[in-house]
Amino acid sequence: MSQQITLAEHQEIALQILIYLDQICRKYNLKYFVSDGTLLGTIRHQGFIPWDDDVDIWMPREDYQKLALIVNQKECSCFRLLNSENTSGYLWAYSKLVHTGTSLKEYRPGAIDTGIFVDVFPYDGIPPRDSARFSLHWNLILFLYKNGEIASCSYSDLFGDRKSLSGYLKWLLRKLYGQKRIFRTVDFLCRLYPVEASDSVMCLCAGYHKNAVVPKSLIDTLIELPFEGRPVKVPIGYDAYLRIMYGDYMTPPPPEKQVPNASHQADICWKT
């Protein structure tokens, strides 16, 4: 029987992945910063949110694309960057930097065993936030992103034993078109608005809410803060960034809500 991994062990392995990523980015001059709940944990707890194991980072798309080439050329490493181009059945339009000695399979339709991971999200420029172009751009990419996830699943993953001719035909159309083709279209659309030419940025390829638009001035300059005793990169405008994402982020949720994110539930163990 495989040895199960505790929350504390999961956090320690995720921290090692983050340390490795930080080292790679410093060595090759790639820009990254901890984001989302990881940034919140850095500011509020100087490390992990105690009941969570999640690690998220954002990278500008150009550096994000370089990262996979660098990491996956290192034959002796126990880390690998997974994406829809190099991993069969991969569900997501963004990447995961994983520890190859671990096993992690999320409780969701079509999920594959990735191993314990750090989510690596690319961010891109966007049209002006209040313009019709922005709404069209975001809605189209979100539509394609969701359909790409569906295209990676089997019919039974999505519908179980239910019979639906219209559901089957919609699933079949996505399946025939192919997830890789869908996600390549997502990547193409995301790159239409370079970061350098935009006043605001957003992670467009991961199902973020429409209001998760970040003024570029908040993230142009990075500083270092401790995360579990290790220095990590954070945006100088972290307070405004976190208020955009979470509102009053410094107030912890009530005790009954201090539980791991339900969408991250998984079987986790060491590989034998």
Side-chain angles (χ1 to χ4, degrees):
M1 177 179 289
S2 300
Q3 181 183 351
Q4 296 297 306
I5 291 175
T6 65
L7 174 60
E9 290 173 325
H10 190 157
Q11 290 176 337
E12 178 59 31
I13 295 166
L15 176 61
Q16 294 307 312
I17 300 172
L18 177 58
I19 291 170
Y20 173 76
L21 185 146
D22 176 81
Q23 291 170 342
I24 291 291
C25 288
R26 290 174 190 270
K27 179 177 179 179
Y28 293 94
N29 197 30
L30 305 180
K31 182 177 182 178
Y32 88 91
F33 61 85
V34 294
S35 64
D36 304 298
T38 311
L39 180 56
L40 189 157
T42 302
I43 304 305
R44 196 169 70 194
H45 305 280
Q46 292 74 57
F48 286 99
I49 296 172
W51 53 90
D52 199 11
D53 52 37
D54 203 23
V55 177
D56 300 319
I57 72 158
W58 278 23
M59 300 183 73
R61 184 168 291 275
E62 183 177 353
D63 289 349
Y64 166 87
Q65 291 174 323
K66 292 176 183 177
L67 183 67
L69 298 176
I70 294 168
V71 170
N72 292 343
Q73 286 177 352
K74 296 182 177 297
E75 296 180 0
C76 297
S77 173
C78 63
F79 304 103
R80 179 170 173 78
L81 198 82
L82 305 185
N83 56 47
S84 61
E85 291 290 337
N86 64 27
T87 304
S88 178
Y90 189 83
L91 281 176
W92 305 273
Y94 54 89
S95 298
K96 293 178 183 286
L97 182 59
V98 307
H99 189 298
T100 59
T102 62
S103 173
L104 184 152
K105 187 173 182 181
E106 293 180 313
Y107 300 155
R108 58 181 297 172
I112 63 169
D113 185 350
T114 59
I116 290 176
F117 58 83
V118 165
D119 280 325
V120 183
F121 298 113
Y123 65 84
D124 298 281
I126 58 170
R129 166 75 185 276
D130 296 328
S131 68
R133 278 190 299 148
F134 169 68
S135 292
L136 178 63
H137 189 61
W138 181 82
N139 286 326
L140 178 57
I141 291 173
L142 183 64
F143 170 79
L144 290 169
Y145 168 73
K146 290 181 176 179
N147 279 276
E149 286 191 331
I150 292 171
S152 69
C153 299
S154 69
Y155 181 81
S156 61
D157 283 334
L158 296 170
F159 297 99
D161 295 331
R162 288 187 292 122
K163 305 297 182 183
S164 168
L165 179 59
S166 63
Y168 175 78
L169 291 175
K170 290 177 183 178
W171 167 82
L172 182 62
L173 181 62
R174 295 174 177 93
K175 204 71 174 176
L176 291 174
Y177 191 77
Q179 183 209 53
K180 284 188 178 181
R181 194 179 299 173
I182 294 172
F183 282 167
R184 285 170 185 164
T185 305
V186 169
D187 284 350
F188 170 78
L189 292 172
C190 287
R191 292 195 301 269
L192 288 178
Y193 298 92
V195 170
E196 297 75 19
S198 301
D199 294 328
S200 297
V201 301
M202 186 178 187
C203 179
L204 290 158
C205 63
Y208 278 79
H209 294 298
K210 194 174 182 178
N211 63 354
V213 173
V214 179
K216 191 172 64 175
S217 59
L218 300 182
I219 63 167
D220 265 348
T221 302
L222 303 180
I223 59 175
E224 292 186 0
L225 289 177
F227 181 89
E228 301 295 337
R230 300 277 187 160
V232 296
K233 301 287 188 177
V234 307
I236 196 167
Y238 64 80
D239 177 71
Y241 171 100
L242 287 170
R243 291 187 186 282
I244 290 169
M245 296 294 181
Y246 302 107
D248 179 17
Y249 65 91
M250 288 302 290
T251 301
E256 65 272 14
K257 293 188 177 181
Q258 294 181 9
V259 294
N261 191 320
S263 66
H264 296 156
Q265 298 300 300
D267 289 322
I268 311 169
C269 62
W270 292 101
K271 288 183 176 177
T272 55

